[in-house]
Amino acid sequence: MATQFFTSTSLMALLFFGLYQVAINRSHLGMRGARQRHSQVLGNTGFARVFKNFGVSRSKPFERNLVLVDQDIPKPRVELKYGAQREGRRPDTAMAKWRAHRLGMIIHFGLYSQAGGTWDGISYPSAAEFIKANAKVPDVEYDKLLKTFNPDKKAPKNWARLAKQLGAKYVVITTKHHEGFCLWPSKHTDFAVHSTPYKTDFLGEFINACEEEGLDVMLYYSILDWHHKSWRYALKDEDDRTEFMKYWKFATLQLEELLDRYPGVKGFWFDGTWDSSVKNNGYLTYELEQRLRKIKPDLVIGSRLRADETGARHFDANGQLMGDYEQGWERKLPVAPLENDWECVMTVPENQWGYHAKWSGHVKDSIELIEMLARCTALDGNFVLNIGPQGNGSIRSEEIQLIQEIGTWMDINSHAIYNCGTSGLEKQDWGWITAREGSTELNAIIFNVPVSGRLNMQLKKGEVIKSATLGGKNLQIEENGNGRYFIHIPKINYNTAFVIKLQIVDGKQTTTDAPKI
């Protein structure tokens, strides 16, 4: 009796701890949709761990109970004028194309690329594009970098070729980062490429090179601007507001200028909207987005631009996404598919975007990055790899090697990435599964090869594996009942991830042509 009491008490204590963890995660995740919040909580909270340790299945009844716990206190809906303008995923052709690409490249390049993370002999380990702020460089000194900005004229075409070699379908490039320097000859400022020895339109040359390679282009633009005299972090008085509105007009004119000069671009990738001057004046971001969409209705714009009238960013006060896809996944990935489209941007070292002469911390290899790409695809998201060219336009050898290795893998396995998304199946111990909508074929992307040579696979109820092929050769399939299978793979040394094509049929159809043992 004492043992039973102790067990019950312990279970209740652990249950309380799990509920506490759920509450903590709710506060961190904010008011996103209940289903999205639930999918993330299941993957990484103490609640899920508690019940896993006690052998409780994460069955559908249990999940329904968890949702009820997570939603037991209804929240009143906030009436918003400047919140989300749409619920659900954007269904048009332009968005479907962006979604189908799955793999992209983002390039950080500006005056900071010449400094390489060092100023006056001191190396700053943080993000290299923040060197002006980190080293507290005054404008009069920092602006001298204009005189030495003269990258190789071949750089734009070289970058486009490398993006193509990677297997990327779209490229994001920094037109203006926080430093305020513009890669195009803007008529609204002289702090731009036409004031450098390079003189010509670097951005335009790169966009043309990408279009020649069949790549879509997205333009990164920082709202935050350390160089413009009218930028304000906060609006403390009417003078601040007057100056900030001058800056906002400047930024608006620049964005319209970009669309006018480069009408083929597919969208904007905004940054630097976290200061109170922007987020506490959400109507400005709403009006700017509407203005840009009026010029080019099919623009793809992520969630970084918008704020509503309550100051909420990315997601409005009702938990609805503001923008066409989630942009909160910077150097991190979710654990389950999300309700919205989303994109992960990933650096090679831990936190270096622009060129830094000294990489520090963990540096990712190609297998690690390919697994992230597979995970993003399997969870219905896009994966974007960051590259930081040096000031002369060259790309460091380590990044070129990664591009080549990932590109070689994509040459063989891109069918498991492009136009693919979630399979609806849970992650397997050996890797990830992707599927193409409307197809009966699944792609099992193997990263962890079992010593036994048998892949354990769990399908949905009623589904049957008709065939499994690797490199065009049929593999043996062993059925274990209840939708569970063993797929026998050759016992060899694998030096990279590989893809097994699985043909899935309804259980009522014949499977006699599948090799069995």
Side-chain angles (χ1 to χ4, degrees), residues 17-33:
F17 174 74
L19 290 171
Y20 171 76
Q21 292 290 325
V22 169
I24 293 297
N25 274 271
R26 275 185 73 190
S27 66
H28 285 198
L29 290 169
M31 291 183 61
R32 303 187 182 183

Side-chain angles (χ1 to χ4, degrees), residues 17 41 136 162 195 204 299 353 375 428:
F17 174 74
V41 165
K136 298 180 174 57
L162 282 172
S195 299
L299 278 175
W353 301 91
R375 176 174 172 177
Q428 311 291 311

Side-chain angles (χ1 to χ4, degrees), residues 90 94-95 98 170-173 175 207 216-221 255 258-259 262-270 292-293 296-302 324-325 327:
R90 228 178 89 175
M95 195 66 201
W98 178 91
Y170 67 105
V171 180
V172 184
I173 183 168
T175 66
I207 291 173
D216 286 348
V217 179
M218 306 275 289
L219 301 183
Y220 170 111
Y221 184 92
L255 290 165
L258 285 169
L259 284 181
Y262 317 112
V265 300
K266 305 304 179 183
F268 282 109
W269 205 104
F270 287 102
L292 296 175
R293 292 193 190 280
K296 189 176 176 63
D298 61 353
L299 278 175
V300 176
I301 300 175
D324 298 322
Y325 63 94
Q327 281 187 291

